[in-house]
Structure formats: C-alpha cells, structure tokens
Amino acid sequence: MVNAARDEPSPAPLPGAVGLSHLEAYDWEAADGVCGGSPHVHLVCTEAYVVTGGRGAVQTLTIDGYRETDLVAGAVVWFTPGTVHRMVQRDGLKVTVLMQNSGLPEAGDAVFTFPPSVLADPERYAAAASLPAKEGLVAEEAARRRRDMAVEGYLPLRDALRAGDAGPLVEFHRAAARLVAPRVPDWARLWRAGALAAAERTGAQLAALGAGDVAHLAEARVEAAMPTRRGGYGMCGRRAEYEIPGATLPYHGE
C-alpha cells in the first residue's frame, strides 16, 4: 500500500508483523540460587528465542508440567500463550526475541507471576510491575525487586506442578486474565491495525496475482532499522529495542 505521494510509502512491518528485541539475560541470583529474569506469561502472543551466544535455559510451566529447555547458540525455542517462562543465565546468554502481534506485547500482553495478593489488586500490581522512567541504579534496584517478587510467586506454581497439581497455575491464568480484561478492546484494535492488516494484505496480493495484476510489485522497497535504545531493563534481561517501521509501538518486551 502506497500513499498518494509515491515518495512517502506507508510503513512496512517486519514479516508477520512481529516485534523484535535483543536480550542479554540478567545474571542476578534469585532466592532459589538461579540467575536470570522475571517469570511471566503472555496471554495472546507466541514468543520465540533465537539464541545468538552463551548458554542458559528457559524454565516453563504449562498444564502439562514443569520443563527446563537448554538455550545454546543456534537454538530456536518458542512457546505459545499461557506458558509461564523464566529465562536462566548460565554463561553470557544472548538472545534475539521475536514476539507475535507487534503492538500487543508492548501494550501489556504479559503478566508477572507475582503472589496472588498482588495479582488481585490492579493498583498494587501496576506499582510492582513498573520501573522508574530514568534508568540507573534506582532502575536496576527496581528491576531486581520486580524479578524477586515474580520469583516469589513462581516457585509455588512450580512446586505444585512438580507434585502433580495444576490448580494453582490455572488460578494464576484466571487472575492474569482478570487483571488485563480492561485492555482487551485496545488490544483488538492494535491487532486489527497490525498483524491482521498484514495478513489481509497478503490476501489482497494473492487475489491480485490470480487476476494477473502485478501493481503491488512496483511498490517494492527496502526498510532498515538500528536499535533506538540499548541496555534497558526488560523482564528477562538488558535489552536493545527497535522502532520497526510499520510496528504499532516500539518493542518493550522481554
């Protein structure tokens, strides 16, 4: 799709309208002796890790149980909505993160595994999940506190699953859904403008090709982006963020 002025094309999203960031997993030790990030869940977005260096793991909780998957250079690991995940740092782990539905993760499609009392209070949850706008020592301390609170709520979920009880995880899913329910209409708008619009463009191009119309091929162009922010405090580690042409918002995820 091109604007009226041919030198001002509308933004083109990354393939599939995904979000992108780079991560260096935290090396902070948690209460259980594990170094890594803040356990959390995504409610409607599949996430993928492309491991570019170092060693680590991702711990996951699903109704099927607890699992730990090794992360080594060259590995690609992905998981669907509802998977509680915790990135583990072992030796210089670096990951490129791909997120489905660019715009939704940035708009809050992630819930930390804070204790139930925090999840039940939207204001308390928001205060615990947010970080200071200005980075530095204060931001790092806040990120550590956030990680530690997420681990505090995560460990009982993991212990219950190991004992064969998925009930606490199911209740966490319900609490997370209640917490984000007010945002769902905005998420639907972002999805329609982003991922759905990208898929619909493919449908229109297929229909055009079937009719012998190749006009969209004359609109081809190349896009490029460099990180617009490096070293921010993400959920799982220090991150490099991008403002991708065509994305609804800059990526502020993992």
Side-chain angles (χ1 to χ4, degrees):
M1 190 81 62
V2 176
N3 295 337
R6 288 198 57 86
D7 60 345
E8 295 182 2
S10 58
L14 281 172
V18 301
L20 170 72
S21 67
H22 298 302
L23 272 179
E24 296 187 24
Y26 291 135
D27 59 3
W28 307 331
E29 184 174 328
D32 61 346
V34 174
C35 297
S38 309
H40 62 282
V41 70
H42 296 285
L43 301 174
V44 294
C45 295
T46 292
E47 179 174 5
Y49 293 162
V50 182
V51 185
T52 57
R55 293 188 309 108
V58 57
Q59 297 181 348
T60 54
L61 309 181
T62 68
I63 297 301
D64 291 333
Y66 167 74
R67 177 178 176 182
E68 184 167 298
T69 303
D70 288 336
L71 298 177
V72 296
V76 179
V77 178
W78 64 97
F79 35 88
T80 56
T83 304
V84 173
H85 50 288
R86 178 195 194 187
M87 187 179 288
V88 174
Q89 175 65 273
R90 289 183 178 147
D91 183 15
L93 179 64
K94 296 182 180 181
V95 172
T96 294
V97 179
L98 304 177
M99 288 297 309
Q100 184 185 15
N101 300 319
S102 180
L104 270 64
E106 301 87 336
D109 173 44
V111 175
F112 292 99
T113 54
F114 292 157
S117 60
V118 180
L119 295 171
D121 184 337
E123 291 187 2
R124 187 177 173 191
Y125 177 89
S130 63
L131 298 179
K134 187 175 181 180
E135 294 185 355
L137 182 59
V138 172
E140 178 175 332
E141 291 174 347
R144 283 176 179 260
R145 286 196 301 270
R146 183 175 71 177
R147 192 281 309 272
D148 291 344
M149 183 179 289
V151 170
E152 179 185 348
Y154 163 83
L155 293 178
L157 299 178
R158 187 178 69 180
D159 292 344
L161 280 174
R162 283 174 159 169
D165 182 8
L169 178 60
V170 171
E171 185 50 44
F172 168 70
H173 285 164
R174 290 173 177 156
R178 288 192 295 268
L179 191 63
V180 304
R183 303 179 186 176
V184 169
D186 286 338
W187 289 1
R189 176 180 58 81
L190 293 170
W191 165 71
R192 285 192 295 269
L196 180 60
E200 288 178 335
R201 280 193 293 272
T202 299
Q205 291 165 356
L206 289 171
L209 288 174
D213 180 357
V214 297
H216 69 280
L217 300 180
E219 300 172 356
R221 63 188 184 276
V222 176
E223 304 276 9
M226 291 294 291
T228 54
R229 183 185 183 205
R230 297 178 185 270
Y233 291 96
M235 294 181 174
C236 293
R238 302 300 298 268
R239 64 178 180 246
E241 302 169 1
Y242 293 79
E243 292 192 28
I244 301 296
T248 309
L249 294 165
Y251 183 69
H252 297 299
E254 296 300 292

Short mmCIF file of all heavy atoms in Angstrom, two decimals, residues 163-211:
data_model
loop_
_atom_site.label_atom_id
_atom_site.label_comp_id
_atom_site.label_asym_id
_atom_site.label_seq_id
_atom_site.Cartn_x
_atom_site.Cartn_y
_atom_site.Cartn_z
N ALA A 163 4.36 -31.57 41.96
CA ALA A 163 3.60 -32.50 42.79
C ALA A 163 2.35 -33.02 42.08
O ALA A 163 1.55 -33.75 42.67
CB ALA A 163 3.20 -31.81 44.10
N GLY A 164 2.17 -32.63 40.82
CA GLY A 164 1.04 -33.10 40.04
C GLY A 164 -0.22 -32.27 40.18
O GLY A 164 -1.30 -32.70 39.74
N ASP A 165 -0.11 -31.07 40.73
CA ASP A 165 -1.27 -30.21 40.96
C ASP A 165 -1.20 -28.99 40.06
O ASP A 165 -0.39 -28.09 40.28
CB ASP A 165 -1.31 -29.78 42.44
CG ASP A 165 -2.51 -28.91 42.76
OD1 ASP A 165 -3.40 -28.76 41.90
OD2 ASP A 165 -2.55 -28.39 43.90
N ALA A 166 -2.05 -28.95 39.03
CA ALA A 166 -2.08 -27.82 38.10
C ALA A 166 -3.03 -26.72 38.57
O ALA A 166 -3.13 -25.67 37.92
CB ALA A 166 -2.48 -28.29 36.71
N GLY A 167 -3.71 -26.93 39.68
CA GLY A 167 -4.70 -25.97 40.15
C GLY A 167 -4.16 -24.56 40.34
O GLY A 167 -4.76 -23.59 39.87
N PRO A 168 -3.03 -24.38 41.05
CA PRO A 168 -2.50 -23.02 41.22
C PRO A 168 -2.16 -22.34 39.90
O PRO A 168 -2.35 -21.12 39.77
CB PRO A 168 -1.25 -23.25 42.08
CG PRO A 168 -1.56 -24.49 42.85
CD PRO A 168 -2.32 -25.37 41.89
N LEU A 169 -1.66 -23.07 38.91
CA LEU A 169 -1.37 -22.46 37.61
C LEU A 169 -2.65 -22.02 36.93
O LEU A 169 -2.71 -20.93 36.35
CB LEU A 169 -0.60 -23.44 36.72
CG LEU A 169 -0.27 -22.92 35.32
CD1 LEU A 169 0.60 -21.67 35.38
CD2 LEU A 169 0.42 -24.02 34.49
N VAL A 170 -3.69 -22.84 37.00
CA VAL A 170 -4.98 -22.47 36.41
C VAL A 170 -5.51 -21.20 37.07
O VAL A 170 -6.01 -20.28 36.40
CB VAL A 170 -6.00 -23.61 36.54
CG1 VAL A 170 -7.39 -23.16 36.13
CG2 VAL A 170 -5.57 -24.81 35.70
N GLU A 171 -5.39 -21.12 38.39
CA GLU A 171 -5.86 -19.92 39.09
C GLU A 171 -5.02 -18.70 38.72
O GLU A 171 -5.54 -17.59 38.61
CB GLU A 171 -5.84 -20.15 40.60
CG GLU A 171 -6.44 -18.99 41.39
CD GLU A 171 -7.81 -18.56 40.88
OE1 GLU A 171 -8.65 -19.44 40.59
OE2 GLU A 171 -8.04 -17.33 40.74
N PHE A 172 -3.70 -18.90 38.52
CA PHE A 172 -2.87 -17.78 38.06
C PHE A 172 -3.34 -17.30 36.69
O PHE A 172 -3.44 -16.09 36.44
CB PHE A 172 -1.41 -18.21 37.98
CG PHE A 172 -0.54 -17.22 37.24
CD1 PHE A 172 -0.26 -15.98 37.79
CD2 PHE A 172 -0.05 -17.52 35.97
CE1 PHE A 172 0.51 -15.05 37.10
CE2 PHE A 172 0.72 -16.60 35.28
CZ PHE A 172 1.00 -15.36 35.84
N HIS A 173 -3.64 -18.23 35.77
CA HIS A 173 -4.17 -17.84 34.45
C HIS A 173 -5.43 -17.00 34.60
O HIS A 173 -5.61 -15.97 33.92
CB HIS A 173 -4.48 -19.08 33.62
CG HIS A 173 -3.28 -19.78 33.07
ND1 HIS A 173 -3.32 -21.07 32.57
CD2 HIS A 173 -2.00 -19.38 32.91
CE1 HIS A 173 -2.13 -21.41 32.15
NE2 HIS A 173 -1.30 -20.41 32.34
N ARG A 174 -6.32 -17.42 35.49
CA ARG A 174 -7.58 -16.69 35.69
C ARG A 174 -7.31 -15.30 36.25
O ARG A 174 -7.92 -14.31 35.83
CB ARG A 174 -8.50 -17.48 36.62
CG ARG A 174 -9.06 -18.76 35.99
CD ARG A 174 -9.82 -19.57 37.01
NE ARG A 174 -10.41 -20.75 36.41
CZ ARG A 174 -10.73 -21.85 37.08
NH1 ARG A 174 -10.49 -21.92 38.39
NH2 ARG A 174 -11.27 -22.88 36.46
N ALA A 175 -6.40 -15.22 37.22
CA ALA A 175 -6.07 -13.93 37.81
C ALA A 175 -5.44 -12.99 36.78
O ALA A 175 -5.74 -11.79 36.74
CB ALA A 175 -5.12 -14.13 38.99
N ALA A 176 -4.57 -13.54 35.93
CA ALA A 176 -3.94 -12.73 34.89
C ALA A 176 -4.98 -12.20 33.91
O ALA A 176 -4.94 -11.03 33.50
CB ALA A 176 -2.89 -13.56 34.15
N ALA A 177 -5.94 -13.05 33.54
CA ALA A 177 -6.98 -12.63 32.61
C ALA A 177 -7.84 -11.53 33.21
O ALA A 177 -8.20 -10.55 32.53
CB ALA A 177 -7.85 -13.83 32.22
N ARG A 178 -8.18 -11.65 34.49
CA ARG A 178 -8.97 -10.60 35.14
C ARG A 178 -8.20 -9.29 35.18
O ARG A 178 -8.77 -8.20 34.98
CB ARG A 178 -9.33 -11.03 36.58
CG ARG A 178 -10.37 -12.13 36.66
CD ARG A 178 -10.88 -12.29 38.09
NE ARG A 178 -9.85 -12.74 39.01
CZ ARG A 178 -9.61 -14.01 39.31
NH1 ARG A 178 -10.32 -14.97 38.74
NH2 ARG A 178 -8.66 -14.33 40.19
N LEU A 179 -6.90 -9.38 35.40
CA LEU A 179 -6.07 -8.18 35.52
C LEU A 179 -6.04 -7.39 34.21
O LEU A 179 -6.05 -6.15 34.23
CB LEU A 179 -4.66 -8.61 35.94
CG LEU A 179 -3.69 -7.53 36.37
CD1 LEU A 179 -4.19 -6.81 37.62
CD2 LEU A 179 -2.32 -8.14 36.64
N VAL A 180 -5.98 -8.08 33.08
CA VAL A 180 -5.81 -7.38 31.79
C VAL A 180 -7.13 -7.16 31.06
O VAL A 180 -7.15 -6.51 30.01
CB VAL A 180 -4.86 -8.15 30.86
CG1 VAL A 180 -3.52 -8.39 31.53
CG2 VAL A 180 -5.47 -9.47 30.39
N ALA A 181 -8.24 -7.66 31.58
CA ALA A 181 -9.53 -7.58 30.88
C ALA A 181 -9.86 -6.17 30.38
O ALA A 181 -10.34 -6.02 29.25
CB ALA A 181 -10.65 -8.11 31.76
N PRO A 182 -9.60 -5.10 31.15
CA PRO A 182 -9.94 -3.77 30.65
C PRO A 182 -9.17 -3.36 29.40
O PRO A 182 -9.59 -2.45 28.68
CB PRO A 182 -9.59 -2.85 31.83
CG PRO A 182 -9.66 -3.73 33.04
CD PRO A 182 -9.16 -5.06 32.56
N ARG A 183 -8.03 -4.02 29.13
CA ARG A 183 -7.21 -3.64 27.98
C ARG A 183 -7.61 -4.37 26.69
O ARG A 183 -7.13 -4.01 25.61
CB ARG A 183 -5.74 -3.95 28.26
CG ARG A 183 -5.18 -3.28 29.49
CD ARG A 183 -3.73 -3.67 29.68
NE ARG A 183 -3.19 -3.16 30.93
CZ ARG A 183 -1.98 -3.42 31.37
NH1 ARG A 183 -1.17 -4.18 30.65
NH2 ARG A 183 -1.55 -2.93 32.52
N VAL A 184 -8.44 -5.39 26.79
CA VAL A 184 -8.71 -6.24 25.63
C VAL A 184 -9.26 -5.45 24.44
O VAL A 184 -8.85 -5.69 23.29
CB VAL A 184 -9.63 -7.41 26.02
CG1 VAL A 184 -10.13 -8.15 24.79
CG2 VAL A 184 -8.87 -8.37 26.94
N PRO A 185 -10.19 -4.51 24.61
CA PRO A 185 -10.66 -3.75 23.43
C PRO A 185 -9.53 -3.01 22.72
O PRO A 185 -9.50 -2.97 21.48
CB PRO A 185 -11.68 -2.78 24.03
CG PRO A 185 -12.18 -3.48 25.25
CD PRO A 185 -10.97 -4.17 25.81
N ASP A 186 -8.59 -2.43 23.47
CA ASP A 186 -7.46 -1.76 22.84
C ASP A 186 -6.56 -2.76 22.13
O ASP A 186 -6.02 -2.48 21.06
CB ASP A 186 -6.65 -0.98 23.88
CG ASP A 186 -7.34 0.29 24.33
OD1 ASP A 186 -8.20 0.80 23.58
OD2 ASP A 186 -7.02 0.77 25.42
N TRP A 187 -6.38 -3.94 22.73
CA TRP A 187 -5.57 -4.97 22.08
C TRP A 187 -6.19 -5.39 20.75
O TRP A 187 -5.47 -5.59 19.77
CB TRP A 187 -5.45 -6.19 22.99
CG TRP A 187 -4.60 -5.98 24.18
CD1 TRP A 187 -3.95 -4.83 24.55
CD2 TRP A 187 -4.30 -6.93 25.19
NE1 TRP A 187 -3.26 -5.02 25.72
CE2 TRP A 187 -3.45 -6.29 26.14
CE3 TRP A 187 -4.65 -8.26 25.39
CZ2 TRP A 187 -2.97 -6.96 27.27
CZ3 TRP A 187 -4.17 -8.92 26.52
CH2 TRP A 187 -3.34 -8.28 27.44
N ALA A 188 -7.51 -5.51 20.72
CA ALA A 188 -8.18 -5.89 19.48
C ALA A 188 -7.93 -4.84 18.39
O ALA A 188 -7.71 -5.17 17.22
CB ALA A 188 -9.67 -6.08 19.72
N ARG A 189 -7.95 -3.57 18.78
CA ARG A 189 -7.68 -2.50 17.81
C ARG A 189 -6.25 -2.60 17.28
O ARG A 189 -6.02 -2.48 16.07
CB ARG A 189 -7.92 -1.15 18.48
CG ARG A 189 -7.58 0.05 17.60
CD ARG A 189 -7.84 1.36 18.34
NE ARG A 189 -7.09 1.45 19.58
CZ ARG A 189 -5.81 1.82 19.65
NH1 ARG A 189 -5.13 2.10 18.53
NH2 ARG A 189 -5.19 1.89 20.82
N LEU A 190 -5.29 -2.83 18.17
CA LEU A 190 -3.89 -2.95 17.75
C LEU A 190 -3.69 -4.16 16.84
O LEU A 190 -2.93 -4.10 15.87
CB LEU A 190 -2.99 -3.06 18.98
CG LEU A 190 -2.91 -1.81 19.86
CD1 LEU A 190 -2.18 -2.13 21.16
CD2 LEU A 190 -2.22 -0.67 19.13
N TRP A 191 -4.34 -5.26 17.17
CA TRP A 191 -4.23 -6.47 16.35
C TRP A 191 -4.80 -6.24 14.95
O TRP A 191 -4.19 -6.63 13.95
CB TRP A 191 -4.98 -7.61 17.05
CG TRP A 191 -5.25 -8.79 16.17
CD1 TRP A 191 -4.34 -9.69 15.69
CD2 TRP A 191 -6.51 -9.19 15.66
NE1 TRP A 191 -4.96 -10.64 14.92
CE2 TRP A 191 -6.30 -10.34 14.89
CE3 TRP A 191 -7.81 -8.69 15.80
CZ2 TRP A 191 -7.35 -11.02 14.24
CZ3 TRP A 191 -8.85 -9.35 15.17
CH2 TRP A 191 -8.61 -10.49 14.40
N ARG A 192 -5.95 -5.58 14.87
CA ARG A 192 -6.54 -5.31 13.56
C ARG A 192 -5.63 -4.42 12.72
O ARG A 192 -5.49 -4.62 11.51
CB ARG A 192 -7.92 -4.67 13.72
CG ARG A 192 -9.01 -5.63 14.16
CD ARG A 192 -10.39 -5.02 14.01
NE ARG A 192 -10.58 -3.89 14.91
CZ ARG A 192 -11.08 -3.99 16.14
NH1 ARG A 192 -11.45 -5.18 16.61
NH2 ARG A 192 -11.21 -2.93 16.90
N ALA A 193 -5.00 -3.42 13.36
CA ALA A 193 -4.15 -2.49 12.63
C ALA A 193 -2.78 -3.08 12.29
O ALA A 193 -2.11 -2.60 11.37
CB ALA A 193 -3.95 -1.21 13.45
N GLY A 194 -2.38 -4.14 13.01
CA GLY A 194 -1.06 -4.71 12.83
C GLY A 194 -1.07 -6.06 12.16
O GLY A 194 -1.05 -6.18 10.93
N ALA A 195 -1.13 -7.12 12.97
CA ALA A 195 -1.00 -8.48 12.45
C ALA A 195 -2.12 -8.83 11.48
O ALA A 195 -1.87 -9.45 10.44
CB ALA A 195 -0.97 -9.47 13.61
N LEU A 196 -3.35 -8.48 11.81
CA LEU A 196 -4.46 -8.81 10.90
C LEU A 196 -4.33 -8.06 9.59
O LEU A 196 -4.52 -8.62 8.51
CB LEU A 196 -5.80 -8.49 11.57
CG LEU A 196 -7.03 -8.78 10.70
CD1 LEU A 196 -7.09 -10.26 10.33
CD2 LEU A 196 -8.31 -8.35 11.43
N ALA A 197 -3.97 -6.77 9.66
CA ALA A 197 -3.81 -5.99 8.43
C ALA A 197 -2.72 -6.57 7.54
O ALA A 197 -2.85 -6.60 6.31
CB ALA A 197 -3.50 -4.54 8.77
N ALA A 198 -1.62 -7.07 8.17
CA ALA A 198 -0.54 -7.68 7.38
C ALA A 198 -1.02 -8.92 6.67
O ALA A 198 -0.71 -9.16 5.49
CB ALA A 198 0.64 -8.01 8.30
N ALA A 199 -1.80 -9.76 7.36
CA ALA A 199 -2.33 -10.96 6.73
C ALA A 199 -3.32 -10.61 5.62
O ALA A 199 -3.35 -11.26 4.55
CB ALA A 199 -3.00 -11.85 7.78
N GLU A 200 -4.12 -9.59 5.84
CA GLU A 200 -5.09 -9.19 4.83
C GLU A 200 -4.41 -8.64 3.58
O GLU A 200 -4.90 -8.82 2.45
CB GLU A 200 -6.06 -8.17 5.41
CG GLU A 200 -7.03 -8.80 6.41
CD GLU A 200 -7.96 -7.80 7.04
OE1 GLU A 200 -7.59 -6.59 7.10
OE2 GLU A 200 -9.06 -8.19 7.48
N ARG A 201 -3.25 -7.97 3.75
CA ARG A 201 -2.51 -7.51 2.58
C ARG A 201 -2.06 -8.69 1.72
O ARG A 201 -2.10 -8.63 0.49
CB ARG A 201 -1.29 -6.68 3.02
CG ARG A 201 -1.62 -5.25 3.38
CD ARG A 201 -0.37 -4.39 3.50
NE ARG A 201 0.46 -4.79 4.63
CZ ARG A 201 0.31 -4.31 5.85
NH1 ARG A 201 -0.65 -3.44 6.12
NH2 ARG A 201 1.12 -4.70 6.83
N THR A 202 -1.62 -9.77 2.39
CA THR A 202 -1.24 -10.96 1.62
C THR A 202 -2.43 -11.50 0.85
O THR A 202 -2.29 -11.90 -0.32
CB THR A 202 -0.68 -12.04 2.57
OG1 THR A 202 0.47 -11.54 3.23
CG2 THR A 202 -0.31 -13.30 1.80
N GLY A 203 -3.59 -11.54 1.48
CA GLY A 203 -4.78 -12.00 0.79
C GLY A 203 -5.10 -11.15 -0.42
O GLY A 203 -5.45 -11.68 -1.49
N ALA A 204 -4.97 -9.84 -0.29
CA ALA A 204 -5.23 -8.95 -1.42
C ALA A 204 -4.20 -9.15 -2.53
O ALA A 204 -4.54 -9.13 -3.72
CB ALA A 204 -5.21 -7.49 -0.94
N GLN A 205 -2.95 -9.39 -2.15
CA GLN A 205 -1.91 -9.63 -3.16
C GLN A 205 -2.13 -10.95 -3.89
O GLN A 205 -1.93 -11.04 -5.11
CB GLN A 205 -0.54 -9.59 -2.49
CG GLN A 205 -0.15 -8.19 -2.02
CD GLN A 205 1.00 -8.20 -1.04
OE1 GLN A 205 1.49 -9.27 -0.63
NE2 GLN A 205 1.45 -7.01 -0.64
N LEU A 206 -2.57 -11.98 -3.18
CA LEU A 206 -2.87 -13.26 -3.83
C LEU A 206 -4.01 -13.10 -4.82
O LEU A 206 -3.98 -13.65 -5.93
CB LEU A 206 -3.22 -14.31 -2.77
CG LEU A 206 -2.07 -14.81 -1.91
CD1 LEU A 206 -2.59 -15.67 -0.77
CD2 LEU A 206 -1.06 -15.59 -2.74
N ALA A 207 -5.04 -12.37 -4.41
CA ALA A 207 -6.17 -12.15 -5.31
C ALA A 207 -5.73 -11.38 -6.55
O ALA A 207 -6.16 -11.68 -7.67
CB ALA A 207 -7.28 -11.40 -4.58
N ALA A 208 -4.85 -10.39 -6.34
CA ALA A 208 -4.36 -9.60 -7.47
C ALA A 208 -3.55 -10.48 -8.43
O ALA A 208 -3.73 -10.42 -9.66
CB ALA A 208 -3.53 -8.43 -6.99
N LEU A 209 -2.66 -11.30 -7.88
CA LEU A 209 -1.86 -12.18 -8.74
C LEU A 209 -2.74 -13.14 -9.53
O LEU A 209 -2.48 -13.42 -10.70
CB LEU A 209 -0.85 -12.96 -7.89
CG LEU A 209 0.32 -12.16 -7.33
CD1 LEU A 209 1.14 -13.05 -6.40
CD2 LEU A 209 1.20 -11.61 -8.44
N GLY A 210 -3.76 -13.65 -8.86
CA GLY A 210 -4.68 -14.56 -9.55
C GLY A 210 -5.38 -13.90 -10.72
O GLY A 210 -5.76 -14.57 -11.69
N ALA A 211 -5.54 -12.57 -10.63
CA ALA A 211 -6.20 -11.83 -11.70
C ALA A 211 -5.19 -11.24 -12.68
O ALA A 211 -5.57 -10.48 -13.58
CB ALA A 211 -7.05 -10.71 -11.10
#
